[in-house]
């Protein structure tokens, strides 16, 4: 999709984790948490897991898999995404705020604290 910015991704096929170099200024703990989350997702479910910002600065969790990957767990994928959205809500909100302020140039209101 146009105007998406990849934050990070992991692939069970290549057994690799990718963090967009534009986000190396994130705190080390956040980068490690993202890496652990993405790698564990692909180890449990398979496929490729990507976290992207949409044009409005909202995070989207995306999953893809190869057509002939019969080990990919489609039901587990949906459940895992819902679990991550629930358990990592604070992290995702912080990352969205970070992106909106530092990359989109939005002003933070006192009520956003």
């Amino acid at each position: 999709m146009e105007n998406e910015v990849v934050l990070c991704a992991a692939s069970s096929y290549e057994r690799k984790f990718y963090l967009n170099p534009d986000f190396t200024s994130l705190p080390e703990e956040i980068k490690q948490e993202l890496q652990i989350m993405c790698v564990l997702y692909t180890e449990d479910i398979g496929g490729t897991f990507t976290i992207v910002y949409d044009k409005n600065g909202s995070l989207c969790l995306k999953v893809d898999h190869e057509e002939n990957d019969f080990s990919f767990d489609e039901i587990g994928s949906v459940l895992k995404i819902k679990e991550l959205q629930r358990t990592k809500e604070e992290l995702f909100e912080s990352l969205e705020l970070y992106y909106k302020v530092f990359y989109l140039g939005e002003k933070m209101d006192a009520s956003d604290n």
Side-chain angles (χ1 to χ4, degrees):
M1 183 176 164
E2 191 176 320
N3 297 324
E4 284 185 339
V5 175
V6 173
L7 171 59
C8 58
S11 170
S12 66
Y13 308 117
E14 297 179 24
R15 300 183 92 53
K16 290 185 179 180
F17 171 76
Y18 167 80
L19 176 68
N20 185 331
D22 291 342
F23 298 100
T24 56
S25 63
L26 284 170
E28 195 60 38
E29 299 81 28
I30 300 293
K31 293 189 284 190
Q32 288 175 358
E33 187 171 357
L34 289 169
Q35 181 174 5
I36 291 167
M37 178 178 48
C38 291
V39 169
L40 285 177
Y41 180 94
T42 57
E43 288 294 314
D44 291 346
I45 306 298
T48 303
F49 180 66
T50 309
I51 302 176
V52 300
Y53 289 103
D54 67 15
K55 64 181 179 179
N56 299 317
S58 297
L59 279 176
C60 301
L61 308 180
K62 296 188 165 208
V63 181
D64 195 19
H65 64 91
E66 294 178 358
E67 188 174 325
N68 60 352
D69 183 359
F70 299 109
S71 65
F72 179 76
D73 184 357
E74 290 192 42
I75 295 170
S77 174
V78 172
L79 296 173
K80 189 73 167 177
I81 293 289
K82 287 181 181 182
E83 176 189 338
L84 289 173
Q85 289 170 330
R86 188 182 71 253
T87 61
K88 303 292 185 184
E89 181 178 10
E90 189 175 317
L91 171 65
F92 294 154
E93 287 174 356
S94 297
L95 287 167
E96 286 177 354
L97 181 61
Y98 171 85
Y99 185 79
K100 288 175 182 178
V101 170
F102 291 103
Y103 289 87
L104 297 181
E106 292 183 12
K107 302 290 183 211
M108 190 173 91
D109 294 331
S111 63
D112 289 342
N113 290 337

